[in-house]
Amino acid sequence: MKSVEVLNEERSAGTIALDLAVVDLAKFEAAEGEERAHMAAAFDKGMREIGFGVITGHGLPAGLFQRVLDVTRGLFDLPLTEKAEISSRVAEGQFCGWVPFAADAASRVYGAKSDTPADLRERFRAVISNCDEVRQKVGPNQWPQSLPEVRETWTEYYKLMEHVGARVMRLAAASLGLSDWYFDEYFQRHFSVMMATHSPPFNGVAQPGQSRCGAHTDTGTMTFVYQPNTRGGLEVQIDGQWRVPMPPEGSFVVNCGDLLARWTNDRWRSTVHRVGGPGAPLRERRQSLVFFHQPALDVKLHCVPTCTDARTPPRYAPITLREHFTHQQQLLATRDVSIAS
Ligand SMILES: O=C(O)CCC(=O)C(=O)O
Ligand SMILES: [Fe+2]
């Protein structure tokens, strides 16, 4: 068992690539019989053993990633006074909007000590949904008035990602031996969060254990990460070593969060990861686009039926996403968090 602090201080293995199962979504959807079963099995194996995979063939238009990165860079480059106007800190309970550089630490949320150094990144988050309960949970979106293209481009990306998320959950269903549509109903009023991160070029000396985003697991179901390059980027902790996924250009790294691990009775793994840890190059500006695809807030998630049998009873009680958030906060407040290595 390693503490979060120890994980944060462990040096990046740097260039040791992490091999991930790559699934071409369009090919999967067109495949039949043995070929389809083979692709589903590869995804299942990746989620069981590593908790991470790669999605290609998602159909997002060429150039969209770069457009979103460009307009969002414009947002991050706004004067601080303008960014303060769209801050997520304007009101209690407000979630959408800009989060300043080094304002918090993902590891702290995960349970690290409160003096864990802050993450070397700023963020912007939006939830483009009309569902009442979703809006109530996150507050209004906070778009920069001087850059209308941010709202337009983000809306385009978010709408396409809703669809990619639903398609990947069909792949997930097939991988778990369920009917393809098993998860659809849970995502009807989904609570998905789009987030962009920005780490400006860093020439200073990072504090011990400081990174662009400290060691943590994701809370929700599936996370889709697009990063334009891997330098100073995502690192995944496998067998005690920090390893670097090397996804093909234009693809997503996809990972399983705590709630999906729970839903699958721990058949799938929610694996510890971080960004630009000690030893990683931080001199270049880094941006990433992260889409947390999550189910409806108030639908009970019962153990996936193919993940339990007479010898493997459900380990956890049914739970909703909203209850899961509360439950995790309570756990973090009380436990001395250590992570199995
Ligand atoms: O920026 C990234 O590539 C991923 C960040 C991350 O893991 C997170 O915020 O949960
Ligand atoms: Fe994460």
Side-chain angles (χ1 to χ4, degrees):
M1 300 281 269
K2 286 181 183 172
S3 71
V4 188
E5 282 76 19
V6 169
L7 281 177
N8 275 337
E9 289 208 23
E10 279 178 351
R11 294 185 66 77
S12 302
T15 50
I16 305 186
L18 173 62
D19 260 342
L20 296 175
V22 179
V23 177
D24 183 315
L25 202 50
K27 272 199 189 141
F28 169 74
E29 287 161 345
E32 286 175 12
E34 230 172 83
E35 189 193 4
R36 187 175 208 274
H38 186 75
M39 293 171 95
F43 190 70
D44 177 49
K45 184 167 187 284
M47 285 297 147
R48 273 190 284 120
E49 294 176 357
I50 304 196
F52 276 71
V54 168
I55 299 291
T56 62
H58 45 68
L60 261 65
L64 180 59
F65 291 119
Q66 198 53 50
R67 271 197 289 131
V68 184
L69 290 173
D70 288 347
V71 299
T72 310
R73 177 170 169 174
L75 181 153
F76 287 123
D77 286 346
L78 286 172
L80 274 175
T81 49
E82 243 183 278
K83 287 197 280 191
E85 283 167 16
I86 53 166
S87 166
S88 65
R89 288 155 190 234
V90 289
E92 189 64 33
Q94 172 69 25
F95 176 83
C96 295
W98 174 68
V99 184
F101 183 76
D104 52 16
S107 292
R108 269 185 230 151
V109 178
Y110 186 54
K113 296 194 183 89
S114 57
D115 61 355
T116 298
D119 293 338
L120 301 166
R121 64 175 185 175
E122 59 184 320
R123 291 180 284 160
F124 183 72
R125 297 188 290 222
V127 175
I128 300 170
S129 164
N130 294 323
C131 297
D132 294 341
E133 71 279 15
V134 171
R135 284 268 61 97
Q136 211 179 15
K137 176 110 181 115
V138 294
N141 284 310
Q142 310 233 71
W143 303 111
Q145 287 193 346
S146 60
L147 297 172
E149 61 273 28
V150 173
R151 181 183 192 156
E152 286 154 23
T153 321
W154 274 55
T155 304
E156 182 182 349
Y157 188 85
Y158 190 99
K159 293 285 159 201
L160 291 167
M161 288 309 296
E162 283 180 319
H163 190 48
V164 170
R167 291 165 66 202
V168 169
M169 288 315 291
R170 288 178 201 142
L171 164 67
S175 305
L176 292 165
L178 300 158
S179 110
D180 281 9
W181 320 107
Y182 180 82
F183 291 112
D184 279 27
E185 63 178 290
Y186 298 94
F187 288 85
Q188 292 298 332
R189 300 172 71 83
H190 66 89
F191 177 69
S192 297
V193 176
M194 177 168 170
M195 176 176 90
T197 78
H198 175 230
S199 299
F202 185 74
N203 293 311
V205 180
Q207 293 174 49
Q210 192 171 33
S211 49
R212 286 174 161 169
C213 171
H216 68 282
T217 57
D218 292 348
T219 312
T221 41
M222 281 279 190
T223 308
F224 295 84
V225 174
Y226 174 77
Q227 49 174 10
N229 68 59
T230 57
R231 276 186 306 284
L234 199 57
E235 302 171 20
V236 180
Q237 213 238 357
I238 298 292
D239 298 333
Q241 254 193 343
W242 288 102
R243 308 265 299 267
V244 178
M246 301 276 191
E249 173 49 34
S251 64
F252 289 107
V253 173
V254 63
N255 64 288
C256 166
D258 300 344
L259 185 57
L260 187 53
R262 177 182 173 128
W263 203 355
T264 62
N265 217 15
D266 292 330
R267 169 163 164 162
W268 286 2
R269 270 182 70 170
S270 177
T271 302
V272 176
H273 55 283
R274 69 181 185 187
V275 178
L282 304 180
R283 277 170 196 230
E284 273 174 47
R285 180 193 291 268
R286 173 180 192 263
Q287 284 184 261
S288 65
L289 303 177
V290 186
F291 190 83
F292 299 101
H293 182 249
Q294 306 183 121
L297 278 161
D298 297 308
V299 177
K300 278 272 190 221
L301 312 180
H302 292 259
C303 178
V304 164
T306 50
C307 297
T308 176
D309 57 26
R311 276 180 303 131
T312 328
R315 293 181 173 181
Y316 311 99
I319 199 166
T320 67
L321 177 62
R322 194 191 296 276
E323 291 163 349
H324 172 71
F325 287 145
T326 310
H327 180 71
Q328 287 221 322
Q329 269 157 10
Q330 287 163 349
L331 260 186
L332 293 177
T334 55
R335 75 181 168 170
D336 171 22
V337 175
S338 294
I339 300 164
S341 67

